[in-house]
Structure formats: C-alpha cells, structure tokens
Amino acid sequence: DTGVSQDPRHKITKRGQNVTFRCDPISEHNRLYWYRQTLGQGPEFLTYFQNEAQLEKSRLLSDRFSAERPKGSFSTLEIQRTEQGDSAMYLCASSFITDTQYFGPGTRLTVL
Amino acid sequence: GENVEQHPSTLSVQEGDSAVIKCTYSDSASNYFPWYKQELGKGPQLIIDIRSNVGEKKDQRIAVTLNKTAKHFSLHITETQPEDSAVYFCAASIDSGFQKLVFGTGTRLLVSP
C-alpha cells in the first residue's frame, strides 16, 4: 500500500491529557497538510509543510497544537491538555508540489 | 477568505438516475476545484478535479462543470449505482504557492437499488 497512512486510527483520551498522531505521506511527496473534520462538516485546514518547513498555520491551530515534520518525511501532530472540543477526525494529506492532495484514513480523537 | 457553499445536504436517487451537486465559492481568485468522495470511516478520496482554464471535465460517469462568472461549479454523476452512496465534498483553492483547500459542508448521496 503506497497511500497516506495515519496512526493511530482511533484515540480515546481523558480531558487534560496529551496526544500525538503520526502521518506517513506518499513517498516523494514534498507537501504535507493537516486538516480537522468534525461530524457533518467538511475538512478544515490546520497547517501545511513543504519538506520540513512549516509554512502556514490556521487560526484554528491554538497554542496547544504543535506539528512537526523532521527530515521532510513523516509528520506528527501533538495536542496538549486536550479539551472536549478537540474531539474530531484529524486528516493528513500529501501532494507533490501543487498537484492533487491525497488523504489518509484519518485519526478519530475522542476526548472524554 | 474563501467560503464554499454546497447544496443539497442530502440527495436520494434511484439506481440508474443522475445526481447533481452544486457548489458556489466566494473568492474570484480561486482556480482549482476538486471533488472528494468520503465513505464511512475513511478519508476523502479524490474523484475528479477541474482548473479554471477549463469549463468542463468528464471521467466516465462523472463530470464537473465550472462557471467562473457566476462562481459556481457542479458535480454530475450519471447512471448512479448503490456503490456511489457516500458523502461528497467540493473544495476550492488558489493554486499558487500552497494549496489550502476550503471545503463545502458535504452532500450525503443515497442510491437506492
């Protein structure tokens, strides 16, 4: 399978805990995007990397959120001190330059 | 910023009928319009896209039309099949620099046998 992969697929955590998600893009894709999708809504842009550089962040990305892409390969999204409002599907997508964005299966986060 | 509206929110058709989903966008600078299909528990899957230098694009049973003047674009699915049942999202972006997709709210398509 050479598509975008995300891990874990599901995460249940208690309010106040930290969580970290991982995204492995399609190999040779230099762009990586994170989106958040709540129930009944379309995905909303969070942040974007070109290679290892984080070039754009949405206002949705509060100080509790941090994303990294070391060495321009996989990426991690960490949420500190989770809140119930963080419950959502977190989607990762990758592309080669400005070509089509291919999405992974997502990580569903539930904050109790 | 860009805003994308999508209609209808739900669409029920009989197998073999055609389905049409419409989207409007607000930013006249947007020039890239993809459509994604999302099945339950899965990530969005690109089904077709169109750039602003083209008015229509077709791929087998799926077609997309774009009206830049009116700032709206539509997805047409002909000869629908039960496996077409899913949530469909339109999106828009400005295809320069980076490609931040702004999505519509989705259309749940149900194709009954």
Side-chain angles (χ1 to χ4, degrees), chain A residues 9 31 33 35 37 40-45 48 56 89 91 98-106, chain B residues 32 36 38 41-46 49 51 89 95-106:
Chain A
R9 296 292 309 278
R31 295 191 171 188
Y33 306 79
Y35 290 82
Q37 185 177 28
Q41 299 296 315
E44 294 176 290
F45 170 79
Y48 143 76
E56 185 79 14
M89 175 80 86
L91 294 162
T98 59
D99 208 342
T100 302
Q101 289 186 35
Y102 294 93
F103 283 81
Chain B
Y32 174 65
Y36 285 86
Q38 188 172 29
K42 298 184 179 180
Q45 177 187 10
L46 181 82
D49 58 9
R51 286 183 160 79
F89 291 97
D95 193 9
S96 64
F98 85 103
Q99 200 181 66
K100 168 188 165 183
L101 294 176
V102 177
F103 284 84
T105 50

Side-chain angles (χ1 to χ4, degrees), chain B residues 42-54:
Chain B
K42 298 184 179 180
Q45 177 187 10
L46 181 82
I47 55 172
I48 196 167
D49 58 9
I50 192 169
R51 286 183 160 79
S52 61
N53 58 345
V54 176

